[in-house]
């Protein structure tokens, strides 16, 4: 999907048409949008365990600042918006003050790419520039850069010039640089996007040394640089930064807490400081996870898309060598959760600033015309809760219904039978029953990829390409080749393998314990099993069903004879792979780039909207 991110600017042109310049009134247009949960949500059952040092953690928010707005479960559980979250933080800060303890607020990156609020910007603007302003409305103590800040130089440059300076040294990019023009404008230099580290004192006077580390990401744009974690810990500045002992190390990073390089950073610090407390906050794989590298350290990862707010507490007033008492919790991000932990009611919870943030976000929503309605979806279509192929699969909806419909519009080749092929990663999110608007379209499939075709391919040849593309995954699942390819995709930023493995594991556990009637009354959601003591989930849930799907998917074969010449249509993103397989399943013609033609001016990002307009009204 990397290439797709790089052409997000093309998307800007499309969004410009929809912008609504007349919207300058002071009052907020509601457009039927929710400020409070529209369905009853039950509260968590146990209070958070406060200690000396407490931390609230957001990560991988990807523009989901107006919360999850659809009514299909478990979406309402994540219906809290960023204004609600701001009120929560203010209320929790007040409790911390009362308890006379520290409460820190931190974020570990990926502020870009995810919803209409971040991605629906008009031409000439930059992804996330407006949503970042709302991040800046919250009292974050430290923040770290994510890989989604680096797919497009314009985004990184915006972080460097507008976001990082606002935080006065608290926006960290320990191993990430940007190349900028300096001096008279002829020369370029590579400089950290934010700061490499920061030392500060908490409200209660504890000294903190903090880093902001990015995993070994390779999909970054030109003129941005990611240094490997292994190299970073050998830098002089790193040695110097960790030399003096703080009261605790606060390590932020856009890097998962397991199966990645946190141990490298941890060991480098432990070599110098055997017992100093180390609080680690990770991100990137979009899961809830926790582990302890030793008894005086805890590592927490807090999900994605403002579904989860992470909590960690640590008792640092015990002895200098014994195990530290840590707790961690994964909060479902909604008002009911927030009110419960803040000891407030629906009517006493909101702060003026929080309400103002909600109003500001709704204003941005209106400016981008994200309520623009394409149609009303008759049911849920999911990425992995329904099997592929099936009526409930959003992948089936795309290849069996939406693509054949949308690509036939105004197409002179409409009478020629075809097969349409795409990679399943083209879809980014589920579609839920109810309104399907501009925000839903940008959330589910924002990539401005084009459709290409090769004419005069016999049906029997065309039908062999899809199995050919998917085959390596099926036959030798463990082959070195596959593992290598997965590692490469991971390095370029694709987290689907790790995230799906997490969903699959939760679902499998549910099936194993189905006889357990305790589950009977629970609602759908995440059911975390991590490596830290006690239950992590704030609200118990029953796991969502999980079904895996192939990497490549295609429309159904036309009912014509095997030797019929058809149009073989595919998304431009996978052209190289398609040509390779096409040339391996037949030898009559050696197909090259020059045989590939443009099939339709309609881009992938428009397909679902066109389908909804034609079929869901
Ligand atoms: C999640 O949604 C279900 C269904 O409405 C609800 O019963 C459950 O309590 C919710 N969880 C939270 C934390 O709100
Ligand atoms: C922290 O630990 C100390 C020593 O074990 C104990 O006295 C204190 O009550 C604990 N503080 C909290 C907030 O649990
Ligand atoms: C970005 O990279 C290109 C190609 O290496 C170079 O020509 C250009 O000057 C760079 N821009 C900046 C701002 O450094
Ligand atoms: C910058 O480039 C201009 C035009 O090429 C040149 O005249 C000028 O001397 C250069 N300045 C520096 C500081 O190199
Ligand atoms: C990052 O920027 C610093 C400061 O200019 C420079 O010393 C360092 O070499 C750069 N690191 C990389 C990996 O480019
Ligand atoms: C301290 O924590 C470590 C790691 O979590 C654990 O292996 C060890 O048993 C603990 N020691 C005590 C005394 O609890
Ligand atoms: C919370 O308050 C709002 C605004 O007064 C109201 O619209 C909503 O119905 C209330 N929700 C609950 C669950 O009481
Ligand atoms: C409300 O939000 C707007 C931006 O959306 C900001 O300009 C203004 O200062 C805020 N007002 C208050 C009272 O926080
Ligand atoms: C198809 O053509 C008609 C007539 O020219 C035009 O109005 C319409 O916008 C086109 N549809 C698409 C999706 O391009
Ligand atoms: C495809 O086949 C048709 C009829 O057999 C022929 O007229 C046309 O030129 C062919 N097109 C290409 C690109 O080979
Ligand atoms: C589930 O809910 C029903 C109705 O509220 C209740 O009677 C029953 O005891 C509950 N079962 C469990 C296992 O909690
Ligand atoms: C069409 O091709 C498929 C696979 O190549 C083959 O199984 C099938 O028998 C063929 N059908 C006809 C009618 O030739
Ligand atoms: Zn992310
Ligand atoms: Zn990421």
């Amino acid at each position: 999907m990397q290439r797709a991110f790089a052409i997000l600017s093309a998307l800007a042109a499309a969004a410009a048409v929809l912008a609504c310049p007349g919207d300058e009134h002071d009052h907020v247009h509601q457009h039927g949008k929710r400020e409070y949960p529209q369905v009853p949500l039950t509260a968590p059952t146990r209070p958070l365990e406060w200690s000396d040092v407490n931390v609230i953690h957001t990560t991988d928010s990807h523009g989901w600042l107006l919360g999850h707005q659809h009514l299909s479960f478990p979406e309402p559980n994540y219906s809290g918006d960023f204004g609600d979250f701001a009120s929560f933080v203010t209320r929790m800060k007040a409790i911390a003050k009362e308890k006379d303890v520290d409460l820190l607020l931190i974020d570990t990156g990926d502020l870009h790419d995810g919803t209409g609020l971040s991605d629906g910007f008009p031409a000439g603007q930059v992804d996330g520039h407006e949503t970042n302003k709302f991040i800046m409305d919250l009292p974050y103590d430290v923040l770290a850069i994510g890989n989604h800040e680096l797919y497009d130089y314009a985004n990184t440059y915006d972080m460097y010039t507008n976001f990082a300076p606002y935080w006065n040294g608290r926006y960290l990019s320990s191993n990430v640089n940007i190349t900028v023009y300096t001096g008279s404008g002829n020369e370029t230099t590579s400089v950290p996007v934010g700061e490499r580290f920061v030392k500060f004192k908490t409200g209660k006077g504890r000294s903190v040394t903090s880093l902001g580390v990015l995993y070994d990401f390779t999909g970054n744009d030109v003129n941005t640089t990611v240094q490997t974690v292994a190299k970073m810990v050998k830098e002089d500045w790193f040695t110097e930064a960790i030399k003096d002992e703080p009261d605790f190390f606060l390590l932020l990073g856009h890097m998962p807490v397991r199966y990645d390089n946190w141990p490298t950073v941890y060991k480098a610090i432990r070599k110098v400081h055997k017992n100093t407390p180390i609080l680690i906050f990770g991100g990137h794989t979009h899961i809830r996870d926790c582990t302890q590298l030793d008894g005086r350290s805890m590592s927490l990862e807090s999900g994605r898309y403002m579904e989860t707010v992470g909590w960690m507490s640590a008792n640092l007033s015990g002895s200098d060598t014994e195990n530290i008492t840590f707790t961690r919790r994964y909060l479902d991000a909604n008002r009911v959760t927030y009110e419960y932990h803040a000891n407030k009611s629906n009517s006493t919870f909101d702060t003026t600033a929080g309400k103002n943030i909600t109003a500001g976000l709704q204003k941005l929503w209106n400016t981008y015309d994200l309520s623009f309605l394409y149609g009303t979806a008759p049911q849920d279509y999911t990425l992995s809760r329904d099997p592929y192929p099936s009526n409930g699969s959003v992948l089936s909806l795309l290849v069996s219904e939406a693509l054949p419909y949308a690509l036939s519009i105004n197409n002179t080749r409409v009478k020629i039978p075809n097969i349409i092929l795409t990679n399943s990663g083209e879809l980014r999110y589920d579609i839920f029953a109810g309104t399907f608007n501009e925000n839903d379209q940008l959330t589910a499939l924002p990539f401005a990829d084009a459709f290409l075709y090769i004419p005069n391919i016999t049906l029997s040849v065309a039908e062999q390409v899809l199995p050919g593309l998917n085959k390596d995954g099926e036959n030798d699942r463990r082959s070195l080749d596959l593992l290598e390819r997965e590692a490469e995709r991971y390095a370029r930023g694709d987290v689907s393998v790790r995230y799906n493995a997490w969903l699959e594991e939760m679902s499998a556990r549910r099936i194993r314990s189905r006889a357990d009637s305790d589950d009977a009354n629970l609602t759908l959601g995440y059911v975390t099993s991590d490596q830290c003591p006690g239950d992590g989930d704030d609200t118990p849930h029953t796991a969502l069903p999980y079904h895996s799907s192939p990497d490549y998917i295609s429309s159904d074969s036309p009912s014509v004879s095997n030797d019929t010449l058809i149009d073989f249509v595919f998304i431009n993103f996978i052209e190289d792979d398609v040509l390779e397989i096409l040339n391996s399943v037949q030898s009559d013609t050696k197909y090259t780039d020059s045989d590939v033609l443009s099939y339709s001016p309609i881009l992938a990002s428009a397909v679902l909207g066109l389908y909804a307009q034609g079929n869901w009204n």
Side-chain angles (χ1 to χ4, degrees):
M1 284 196 290
Q2 288 53 49
R3 234 167 79 209
F5 292 123
I7 48 180
L8 266 173
S9 44
L11 194 76
V17 181
L18 299 165
C20 145
D23 187 16
E24 283 161 353
H25 316 283
D26 281 332
H27 69 276
V28 174
H29 301 241
Q30 288 295 330
H31 275 310
K33 285 196 26 52
R34 144 221 87 71
E35 185 168 356
Y36 299 96
Q38 293 180 356
V39 291
L41 297 177
T42 48
T45 51
R46 61 203 206 282
L48 294 170
E49 294 164 66
W50 288 77
S51 201
D52 308 332
V53 172
N54 308 279
V55 186
I56 294 174
H57 178 209
T58 55
T59 191
D60 295 272
S61 52
H62 288 283
W64 281 86
L65 301 191
L66 268 176
H68 293 242
Q69 298 167 17
H70 284 285
L71 296 180
S72 305
F73 290 115
E75 293 296 285
N77 285 8
Y78 318 130
S79 58
D81 67 39
F82 218 60
D84 298 332
F85 180 64
S87 298
F88 174 62
V89 170
T90 302
R91 301 305 185 196
M92 295 296 273
K93 288 258 182 195
I95 294 174
K97 194 149 201 193
E98 225 169 81
K99 291 183 184 287
D100 198 26
V101 295
D102 279 320
L103 174 62
L104 300 172
L105 175 64
I106 63 164
D107 182 85
T108 48
D110 272 5
L111 302 177
H112 295 89
D113 305 326
T115 72
L117 289 170
S118 51
D119 308 352
F121 56 92
Q125 285 191 17
V126 174
D127 188 282
H129 178 81
E130 293 302 321
T131 37
N132 280 350
K133 291 179 184 166
F134 297 99
I135 307 285
M136 291 189 253
D137 281 341
L138 268 81
Y140 279 102
D141 291 284
V142 208
L143 307 92
I145 199 165
N147 60 305
H148 277 264
E149 276 72 79
L150 303 173
Y151 282 109
D152 186 340
Y153 181 82
N155 296 351
T156 319
Y157 191 71
D158 187 43
M159 298 311 272
Y160 171 74
T161 45
N162 296 312
F163 194 71
Y166 175 81
W167 298 103
N168 292 319
R170 302 288 187 98
Y171 184 64
L172 303 179
S173 66
S174 303
N175 56 340
V176 182
N177 276 18
I178 180 169
T179 304
V180 291
Y181 290 106
T182 48
S184 56
N186 299 20
E187 287 155 38
T188 61
T189 6
S190 173
V191 293
V193 179
E195 294 298 320
R196 286 165 156 172
F197 66 93
V198 63
K199 297 184 184 194
F200 65 97
K201 279 213 156 51
T202 65
K204 294 294 300 164
R206 293 187 173 86
S207 59
V208 182
T209 297
S210 196
L211 300 170
V213 185
L214 181 64
Y215 86 106
D216 290 353
F217 173 56
T218 60
N220 53 309
D221 204 356
V222 288
N223 296 331
T224 70
T225 316
V226 181
Q227 184 182 42
T228 64
V229 176
K231 281 194 180 138
M232 179 194 78
V233 301
K234 300 216 168 72
E235 291 268 358
D236 291 341
W237 71 260
F238 180 87
T239 310
E240 190 57 31
I242 65 160
K243 194 174 81 191
D244 295 332
E245 183 182 24
D247 289 324
F248 65 97
F249 284 97
L250 179 66
L251 306 185
L252 274 60
H254 198 74
M255 175 154 76
V257 296
R258 281 196 277 170
Y259 312 114
D260 212 305
N261 283 315
W262 275 120
T264 307
V265 187
Y266 160 85
K267 279 179 199 154
I269 291 174
R270 274 287 173 261
K271 224 188 241 174
V272 189
H273 305 288
K274 264 179 65 115
N275 292 311
T276 313
I278 305 180
L279 279 58
I280 297 178
F281 293 89
H284 182 58
T285 42
H286 294 178
I287 72 174
R288 295 177 172 185
D289 200 10
C290 179
T291 194
Q292 289 191 263
L293 294 169
D294 65 29
R296 295 184 61 80
S297 169
M298 180 175 268
S299 313
L300 182 72
E301 181 173 351
S302 306
R304 62 163 200 183
Y305 298 173
M306 287 310 288
E307 293 170 345
T308 302
V309 170
W311 169 268
M312 188 193 286
S313 72
N315 184 340
L316 302 188
S317 46
S319 91
D320 287 345
T321 52
E322 279 166 45
N323 282 358
I324 290 170
T325 302
F326 286 100
T327 74
R328 57 86 183 73
R329 196 78 68 81
Y330 309 105
L331 313 186
D332 285 359
N334 63 58
R335 282 179 65 88
V336 176
T337 297
Y338 296 155
E339 286 163 13
Y340 175 87
H341 291 302
N343 296 319
K344 292 285 172 188
S345 72
N346 187 38
S347 58
T348 60
F349 171 71
D350 295 287
T351 61
T352 309
K355 286 207 276 204
N356 190 42
I357 288 172
T358 301
L361 284 162
Q362 289 181 343
K363 194 165 178 214
L364 179 62
W365 175 283
N366 291 333
T367 305
Y368 289 178
D369 201 14
L370 298 177
S371 286
F372 179 86
L373 189 65
Y374 290 106
T376 304
Q379 59 167 86
D380 293 349
Y381 299 93
T382 73
L383 282 167
S384 62
R385 257 181 269 165
D386 297 87
Y388 171 82
S390 78
N391 284 344
S393 164
V394 68
L395 304 169
S396 291
L397 175 74
L398 179 68
V399 288
S400 300
E401 312 273 340
L403 281 172
Y405 173 83
L407 297 186
S408 71
I409 298 172
N410 296 349
N411 197 327
T412 53
R413 300 192 67 83
V414 71
K415 293 224 168 64
I416 301 164
N418 68 25
I419 284 184
I420 308 169
L421 208 143
T422 180
N423 56 320
S424 51
E426 191 71 11
L427 281 160
R428 170 161 91 175
Y429 204 65
D430 300 336
I431 291 173
F432 296 105
T435 53
F436 183 79
N437 60 27
E438 178 67 7
N439 187 54
D440 297 311
Q441 176 175 261
L442 284 164
T443 303
L445 205 179
F447 310 114
D449 293 332
F451 290 90
L452 309 172
Y453 79 112
I454 303 176
N456 293 356
I457 305 281
T458 59
L459 177 66
S460 56
V461 166
E463 278 181 333
Q464 292 169 56
V465 178
L466 180 67
L469 284 166
N470 281 323
K471 182 182 65 193
D472 11 45
E474 302 295 347
N475 279 358
D476 27 26
R477 254 202 96 46
R478 259 152 235 279
S479 79
L480 203 58
D481 197 34
L482 177 74
L483 289 178
E484 244 166 46
R485 205 141 4 124
E486 268 177 14
E488 200 220 324
R489 275 167 60 177
Y490 179 76
R492 282 191 287 125
D494 183 348
V495 299
S496 60
V497 171
R498 297 272 194 104
Y499 179 72
N500 286 335
W502 183 59
L503 295 181
E504 189 166 20
E505 184 273 329
M506 280 188 288
S507 172
R509 234 185 312 129
R510 174 200 192 194
I511 291 163
R512 279 200 302 276
S513 66
R514 185 162 274 166
D516 190 347
S517 58
D518 283 349
D519 276 6
N521 289 359
L522 299 181
T523 54
L524 293 176
Y526 296 127
V527 188
T528 311
S529 162
D530 59 22
Q531 297 186 322
C532 293
D535 278 343
D537 293 314
D538 194 40
T539 303
H541 291 294
T542 189
L544 300 160
Y546 175 82
H547 301 274
S548 65
S549 51
D551 285 346
Y552 299 88
I553 52 181
S554 90
S555 61
D556 309 321
S557 279
S559 23
V560 293
S561 66
N562 272 353
D563 55 359
T564 307
L565 297 176
I566 68 160
D567 283 345
F568 188 67
V569 185
F570 50 89
I571 199 152
N572 61 3
F573 190 60
I574 61 172
E575 178 180 337
D576 293 349
D577 300 328
V578 165
L579 288 174
E580 187 191 322
I581 301 290
L582 196 53
N583 287 325
S584 74
V585 299
Q586 58 79 44
S587 49
D588 297 344
T589 312
K590 169 113 177 90
Y591 291 100
T592 67
D593 186 52
S594 61
D595 299 305
V596 177
L597 307 165
S598 167
Y599 188 69
S600 164
I602 290 167
L603 299 178
S605 49
V607 164
L608 292 170
L610 289 169
Y611 177 77
Q613 279 178 326
N615 298 275
W616 286 347
N617 278 302

